[in-house]
Amino acid sequence: MNDIRWNTIALFEGLSEDELALARPLFDKQSVDKGQVVVAEGDKGSEMFVLVSGKVRVVKSMLLSGIDIPALTGQDPRKVLVVLTGETHPMFGEMALIDSDTRSASVETLEPSVFLKTDRERFFGLIEREPKLGCKLLLRIASRMSAVVRSTNHEVVKLTTALALILSGAGQRGA
């Protein structure tokens, strides 16, 4: 893992060499071929990933499980939320790392990709042993989660507005 520039990864930016030396053992390097599912929506998980190289897409089902809409029969109810590249070293799976609950989306590789992967047991073990470093890492994860919540809130407002326009008839031509 000597080929990874840890200080260029947002999760580790600003950490001292001593802190990086404590954080590195938490992570395993994982190589995944093109076309593989790294995490699957609905599966239980406790791992977090940092994309080091390659390209992935984050995919989410847009319908509640068990809902059948005849007009959509034969269509994939999933939506690509974002395509991520290793150039920016994005992280994903941070919610499962924190709460060990089900995955909220799927992540699929679009090309061979390399990840740093940690799990809840190792991560929280570091927090117990090195609370100052653990706090720094948790704040970075919380900041990322905050940004996602803000973005999601904005999307909900847009969808609610569109639905309100449609239901009020304002979205119909000639009304």
Side-chain angles (χ1 to χ4, degrees):
M1 292 203 304
N2 293 334
D3 57 332
I4 297 171
R5 296 180 51 219
W6 292 75
N7 58 347
T8 65
I9 298 170
L11 182 63
F12 308 114
E13 279 180 359
L15 296 183
S16 70
E17 279 303 317
D18 289 341
E19 290 171 323
L20 282 172
L22 293 169
R24 280 185 194 106
L26 296 180
F27 292 85
D28 296 321
K29 185 175 174 180
Q30 180 178 358
S31 298
V32 180
D33 291 332
K34 175 183 178 178
Q36 300 299 307
V37 175
V38 180
V39 298
E41 182 176 1
D43 285 358
K44 289 286 246 181
S46 64
E47 301 88 15
M48 180 181 77
F49 299 81
V50 176
L51 179 59
V52 176
S53 68
K55 187 187 290 187
V56 300
R57 67 180 180 182
V58 180
V59 180
K60 172 116 183 100
S61 177
M62 292 291 109
L63 295 176
L64 294 173
S65 180
I67 299 293
D68 183 33
I69 300 176
L72 296 177
T73 300
Q75 295 183 29
D76 188 352
R78 302 178 317 146
K79 176 183 177 189
V80 175
L81 300 178
V82 67
V83 173
L84 305 170
T85 67
E87 295 167 359
T88 58
H89 307 301
M91 70 175 116
F92 60 90
E94 65 275 11
M95 291 188 337
L97 180 75
I98 300 299
D99 65 12
S100 295
D101 206 345
T102 58
R103 301 287 186 181
S104 62
S106 296
V107 178
E108 305 164 350
T109 56
L110 296 174
E111 61 188 43
S113 300
V114 176
F115 303 91
L116 293 176
K117 174 181 161 184
T118 191
D119 61 39
R120 181 179 175 82
E121 184 178 328
R122 285 189 283 175
F123 189 80
F124 280 92
L126 172 82
I127 291 171
E128 288 178 15
R129 292 186 310 278
E130 301 290 339
K132 185 177 175 184
L133 174 58
C135 228
K136 287 180 181 183
L137 295 174
L138 277 174
L139 279 172
R140 290 194 174 100
I141 291 170
S143 176
R144 158 86 171 105
M145 292 171 81
S146 242
V148 170
V149 168
R150 288 180 205 288
S151 175
T152 301
N153 285 345
H154 180 71
E155 292 301 313
V156 167
V157 169
K158 285 176 22 182
L159 288 170
T160 304
T161 302
L163 180 60
L165 287 170
I166 290 169
L167 292 175
S168 71
Q172 296 177 1
R173 292 180 187 243

